[in-house]
Amino acid sequence: MMKTSKYSGGVRFAAAFCLICLTGVLGACGDNAVSSYLTKDMWMEAAEAPRLTGEFAGAGASSQKSAVDAWIVGFSGAQPQTKISYDPSGSGAGVNTFLMGAAAWAGTDAPLNDSQIASSKTVCQGKTAFDLPVYVSPIAVAYNLSDYGLNGGKTHLKLKPRTVAKIFSGAITRWNDPEIASQNPSLASRLPALDITPIWRSDKSGTTKVFQDYLHAAAGKDWPYRPSETWPNEVGQGAKGTSGVVLTSSQAQGTIGYADAAQVSGLGTVALGVGEAYVPFSAQATARLIARSPRNKKASQAGRYVIDVDYATTDPRSYPLALVSYDVACPAYKNPAQGEFVKQWLTYEVSSQGQRTAAANAGAVELPETLRAQLLTSIDSISGLSRITPAADERTTTGGREGRS
């Protein structure tokens, strides 16, 4: 059981959403409808947190978009006078927007680097920003060979990490290459003598770094590039954003790309080599990988929690290519109301209800309960507003000031 906090908008906020989940009244979130149960008065009584009004903007990882859309609906049920927006501009662009003070929080598929942490002092009132995992999803290596009956269903091409690396580096260029055929003996006769067209992110992308981290760890010398948020070669074709990769891959035969698994419907997906096994993506196999991956000890700045994903795992029940997407926030904001919003927003995201909402609407893998408890400690450190109780007069907080509603 989680330890309670003096701040009622932290752990109590999560508990309120868990209670709502158990009573089965938030099911409408998946239909983009706000539950009538989450009225202003019920929010005040259950969570005892300051009411908020106004506009709050986030920006960043496109991989989070479906989850954020669902979270906005759920959160707005409890805080109906907030207007929340999210620009899925990509991890790098989102972090830059946050560092310029134009977003309350950022979503990123790559943890903050030292330069970004140092720069954050400007917008975090002299303190440094921190990043917390809020969204986990398998990354699919997705291909389009629908004309050859190889897309979808239970059919998965099997590829070892070194083979995937050779395809994306341009060392393997045809679908009927002997290395691919040898790993797929039952499908070899259906592999076409067709050029392979790798599709990669043309924008600065945390997903790109995650994919390269996997290739670097699992494929060794067959991936000659240093992982970064920028794609390192010109083999194939670039496309902007997760949606761009999926759309471009869908428009031509012989393509292969990498994207959040929840967004690759209609494409074929690779069962990745793990030791002597081949593992297709699934929530269970991804959750097992995350549970077995340690915390990154180098990310030791206050509030940070970075998962050191074991991309080179040999566990045959783990899917090795997992996206851990983070939210970036300040421990202190110039506008206390913005700090209060971020505190409540992050608490909802990592709550059991928030995680179930992301799983139902975006195919996310729920964070383990033990991890969520640790994240709440960091979230609780954000400076917000003083507690407003139900007995207080009808006051609403906006822009750091109070006024009659």
Side-chain angles (χ1 to χ4, degrees):
M1 187 172 182
M2 295 182 187
K3 185 178 179 181
T4 58
S5 164
K6 292 181 179 180
Y7 172 70
S8 59
V11 175
R12 287 194 185 185
F13 179 84
F17 274 92
C18 290
L19 173 63
I20 292 164
C21 177
L22 291 173
T23 57
V25 296
L26 198 60
C29 283
D31 298 322
N32 282 340
V34 176
S35 169
S36 60
Y37 184 82
L38 291 175
T39 63
K40 176 173 63 178
D41 292 338
M42 179 57 71
W43 159 250
M44 294 294 289
E45 181 179 351
E48 299 177 3
R51 286 171 290 172
L52 299 169
T53 186
E55 298 182 2
F56 302 94
S62 58
S63 59
Q64 287 191 32
K65 185 180 186 305
S66 295
V68 172
D69 287 346
W71 284 330
I72 289 173
V73 173
F75 186 89
S76 297
Q79 292 282 22
Q81 295 187 53
T82 56
K83 184 177 180 180
I84 307 166
S85 62
Y86 183 75
D87 178 11
S89 55
S91 298
V95 171
N96 287 339
T97 300
F98 169 82
L99 293 176
M100 291 187 293
W105 88 97
T108 176
D109 298 338
L112 295 172
N113 59 41
D114 291 342
S115 175
Q116 291 168 334
I117 291 172
S119 297
S120 69
K121 291 182 179 180
T122 302
V123 293
C124 293
Q125 306 307 294
K127 300 181 179 181
T128 56
F130 57 84
D131 37 5
L132 299 175
V134 297
Y135 176 84
V136 173
S137 175
I139 292 178
V141 179
Y143 57 85
N144 187 9
L145 292 171
S146 58
D147 287 357
Y148 307 91
L150 296 174
N151 280 24
K154 296 183 179 180
T155 300
H156 300 279
L157 287 182
K158 299 175 181 178
L159 297 176
K160 292 184 179 296
R162 68 170 186 269
T163 309
V164 177
K166 290 176 183 178
I167 288 171
F168 280 89
S169 67
I172 291 177
T173 61
R174 303 275 281 184
W175 281 106
N176 63 345
D177 186 280
E179 186 167 326
I180 298 176
S182 67
Q183 294 170 57
N184 297 274
S186 65
L187 301 174
S189 62
R190 295 159 62 182
L191 293 171
L194 180 69
D195 287 343
I196 300 174
T197 304
I199 307 298
W200 35 268
R201 289 281 292 270
S202 60
D203 54 324
K204 194 175 181 181
S205 163
T207 307
T208 291
K209 186 176 186 304
V210 169
F211 184 51
Q212 291 189 73
D213 282 337
Y214 161 72
L215 294 175
H216 178 75
K221 63 181 181 181
D222 288 306
W223 187 250
Y225 308 103
R226 182 177 179 178
S228 74
E229 295 180 346
T230 303
W231 189 251
N233 62 43
E234 297 295 326
V235 178
Q237 181 179 341
K240 185 176 181 179
T242 299
S243 59
V245 169
V246 173
L247 179 62
T248 303
S249 298
S250 301
Q251 290 176 333
Q253 293 296 304
T255 56
I256 185 169
Y258 56 92
D260 187 331
Q263 301 188 46
V264 297
S265 177
L267 295 172
T269 56
V270 171
L272 293 171
V274 180
E276 297 303 314
Y278 290 93
V279 184
F281 77 81
S282 70
Q284 295 80 6
T286 306
R288 182 175 173 86
L289 176 73
I290 296 303
R292 293 166 65 92
S293 295
R295 183 174 183 175
N296 188 323
K297 294 181 180 179
K298 294 181 180 180
S300 58
Q301 294 88 345
R304 301 188 72 196
Y305 195 108
V306 175
I307 298 173
D308 193 5
V309 179
D310 185 10
Y311 298 112
T313 182
T314 57
D315 173 35
R317 290 190 289 165
S318 293
Y319 181 75
L321 183 48
L323 167 72
V324 179
S325 197
Y326 299 81
D327 272 4
V328 179
C330 287
Y333 288 81
K334 182 177 181 180
N335 183 339
Q338 190 173 59
E340 180 63 35
F341 163 75
V342 172
K343 192 169 192 171
Q344 293 185 24
W345 173 254
L346 293 180
T347 303
Y348 171 55
E349 285 184 322
V350 305
S351 72
S352 58
Q353 180 56 44
Q355 288 295 296
R356 288 180 186 133
T357 296
N361 291 275
V365 176
E366 294 182 37
L367 296 173
E369 183 178 354
T370 53
L371 172 58
R372 292 191 284 109
Q374 295 179 71
L375 300 181
L376 284 171
T377 300
S378 294
I379 295 169
D380 207 42
S381 69
I382 299 173
S383 299
L385 297 165
S386 59
R387 173 176 167 176
I388 300 176
T389 66
D393 61 355
E394 288 295 315
R395 291 178 294 175
T396 302
T397 303
T398 177
R401 58 185 178 84
E402 294 180 343
R404 297 284 177 180
S405 59

